[in-house]
Amino acid sequence: MAEKKTVVVMKGDQTGQELLEEALRVLHPDVIRFEIDFKPFDLSLENRRKTKNQVVYEAAKAMKEAGFGLKAATITPEEKGDVGSPNAILRREIDGKVIVRTGRRIPGVRPVAGTYAPISVIRMAVGDAYGAEEWREGEGVEEVAFRTERIDRKTCRAVAEFAFRHAKRMNAKVFGGPKFTVSPVYEGMLKEEMDAASKRYPEVPYEPQLIDATYALLLNSSGEPMVIPALNRDGDCLSDLVLQLFGSIAGAESILLSFDEDFNPQVVMAEAPHGTAPTLFGKNIANPMAMILAAASLLTYFNDPQASAASRAIYESTIEAVREGTRTADLGGSATTTEFTDEVIRKVQTKLEVWTTLQGY
């Protein structure tokens, strides 16, 4: 590798932290054959409270400098006035524009409605219903609730541009879209950017649909890979649906991206899409797949052949381990968390050794 990359590691809570540690085992230089400089920050609920969220701002600043982050699941307290969600701070501080979540087939897990090909949801990371100003007026049955939402064209363009680039890499079609017929001014802004991006990428199949039709058609998808650009609220709901269409969220990772002026990734933060799973904490039975795949996805953004090879080896090894019967309890198996990771590590090491041996043949 030309230069050692720095990855900001954000520690989390409960099972989220345990699974982060499993992913870091897979990224050890003895496994992937190169070194990464890990810069740790403790984003546990206890430390966020202790520092009044200052540690979250420090982690975000470090990510902007390094360009890469790997985050464990964290607890978001529900009490008003508490430290809240670190994700909202991280997204804002690194100027995150897009969240990518990809559902994919897990061997031995029966998908819903015949869903087999990968589906990526490209979700707007900021604005829309999140952070909107809300208020109520009137009393009793005459009371009315209001909410002011906003989106901006730069974020819409980032979502659309990345969706088409991602679809080109996946050999997928760009599918779905906002409810632009009901909301031509607000939701229509994303549709305008999707249409413009389709002209820049004429080789990418494009099938715009209203959001309600998108939900319905997903249940009858024919098995072709799809990329779905979405507003923040729509994307939040779509992500949960899409991942469950594959029977489990275990085979998915979540990526937060910020971009430069040419819409190339500037900061990449990878995490698992699931929470801290407190009922599994300390039992060594949780499934580390999503966190391991999050680590693998981060390597693809290093723009380095060695990192790309390691990423592919991790992806293949993780899926193969499941296919060959090494499964945690949630997938119908009996392997422990560490046993699953051990098997992935063994397979990654074998693949990279074989691929290195066969170079030039």
Side-chain angles (χ1 to χ4, degrees):
M1 182 169 284
E3 59 174 308
K4 188 193 291 188
K5 303 290 187 184
T6 297
V7 172
V8 174
V9 175
M10 288 156 278
K11 298 178 182 179
D13 295 297
Q14 299 169 335
T15 310
Q17 176 57 26
E18 292 178 339
L19 299 182
L20 172 65
E21 290 166 6
E22 296 300 309
L24 291 174
R25 287 176 58 206
V26 178
L27 293 181
H28 193 277
D30 290 347
V31 181
I32 60 173
R33 297 186 161 218
F34 62 89
E35 288 191 5
I36 298 172
D37 180 21
F38 294 112
K39 195 168 184 179
F41 289 83
D42 183 1
L43 265 58
S44 66
L45 179 58
E46 181 184 8
N47 199 45
R48 281 180 280 138
R49 283 172 171 163
K50 181 181 174 182
T51 65
K52 294 183 172 56
N53 273 337
Q54 186 58 37
V55 67
V56 185
Y57 289 94
E58 291 171 359
K61 183 181 178 184
M63 261 202 295
K64 286 177 75 173
E65 293 172 357
F68 304 101
L70 186 64
K71 180 184 173 293
T74 48
I75 295 172
T76 298
E78 296 180 3
E79 298 81 10
K80 194 174 181 181
D82 208 329
V83 288
S85 168
N87 292 334
I89 297 172
L90 293 171
R91 289 175 196 175
R92 184 173 65 249
E93 291 300 305
I94 70 168
D95 194 26
K97 296 293 188 189
V98 166
I99 298 170
V100 184
R101 290 185 175 177
T102 301
R104 59 177 65 85
R105 179 90 165 86
I106 304 172
V109 178
R110 185 176 179 180
V112 178
T115 307
Y116 288 94
I119 302 174
S120 289
V121 177
I122 313 299
R123 169 189 167 190
M124 188 178 290
V126 291
D128 197 32
Y130 301 83
E133 184 182 350
E134 296 183 329
W135 71 96
R136 293 178 183 176
E137 295 178 4
E139 295 180 357
V141 294
E142 302 300 323
E143 189 177 22
V144 180
F146 297 88
R147 181 170 70 194
T148 58
E149 302 176 10
R150 67 184 295 274
I151 56 174
D152 62 85
R153 188 166 293 279
K154 188 174 183 180
T155 303
C156 289
R157 187 164 298 175
V159 170
E161 179 70 18
F162 187 82
F164 276 86
R165 292 185 188 184
H166 190 64
K168 187 176 179 179
R169 286 195 301 270
M170 282 178 61
N171 291 317
K173 74 174 176 182
V174 175
F175 181 79
K179 191 85 170 178
F180 53 88
T181 51
V182 171
S183 176
V185 174
Y186 182 91
E187 303 203 16
M189 185 179 284
L190 177 57
K191 175 63 163 49
E192 289 164 11
E193 290 300 330
M194 288 167 57
D195 292 346
S198 75
K199 293 185 173 119
R200 294 193 294 272
Y201 298 91
E203 70 278 20
V204 176
Y206 177 44
E207 188 179 327
Q209 298 284 348
L210 298 176
I211 184 64
D212 49 347
T214 301
Y215 275 107
L217 292 167
L218 275 174
L219 296 175
N220 296 299
S221 60
S222 60
E224 58 184 326
M226 291 189 289
V227 172
I228 308 174
L231 296 168
N232 201 344
R233 174 72 174 268
D234 290 345
D236 195 356
C237 299
L238 265 173
S239 296
D240 288 355
L241 173 71
V242 164
L243 300 190
Q244 286 298 338
L245 282 177
F246 291 88
S248 171
I249 65 170
E253 68 281 349
S254 183
I255 308 293
L256 172 67
L257 295 159
S258 74
F259 301 95
D260 62 19
E261 291 302 313
D262 296 318
F263 297 103
N264 298 309
Q266 195 165 38
V267 181
V268 184
M269 187 187 88
E271 60 185 329
H274 55 65
T276 60
T279 58
L280 305 180
F281 181 48
K283 297 179 180 177
N284 197 27
I285 59 172
N287 190 342
M289 271 186 77
M291 201 66 223
I292 291 172
L293 293 176
S297 67
L298 196 63
L299 299 181
T300 64
Y301 291 93
F302 280 20
N303 292 323
D304 178 271
Q306 201 172 3
S308 296
S311 176
R312 181 182 173 186
I314 295 170
Y315 270 111
E316 288 186 6
S317 298
T318 304
I319 301 300
E320 284 176 13
V322 176
R323 184 173 62 81
E324 293 171 10
T326 304
R327 300 173 186 168
T328 46
D330 61 309
L331 299 183
S334 58
T336 65
T337 306
T338 51
E339 284 171 347
F340 183 87
T341 306
D342 288 344
E343 180 64 8
V344 171
I345 287 171
R346 186 186 68 78
K347 287 180 175 294
V348 171
Q349 289 173 320
T350 300
K351 284 178 183 291
L352 291 177
E353 185 175 348
V354 170
W355 294 347
T356 302
T357 302
L358 293 176
Q359 278 180 352
Y361 282 82

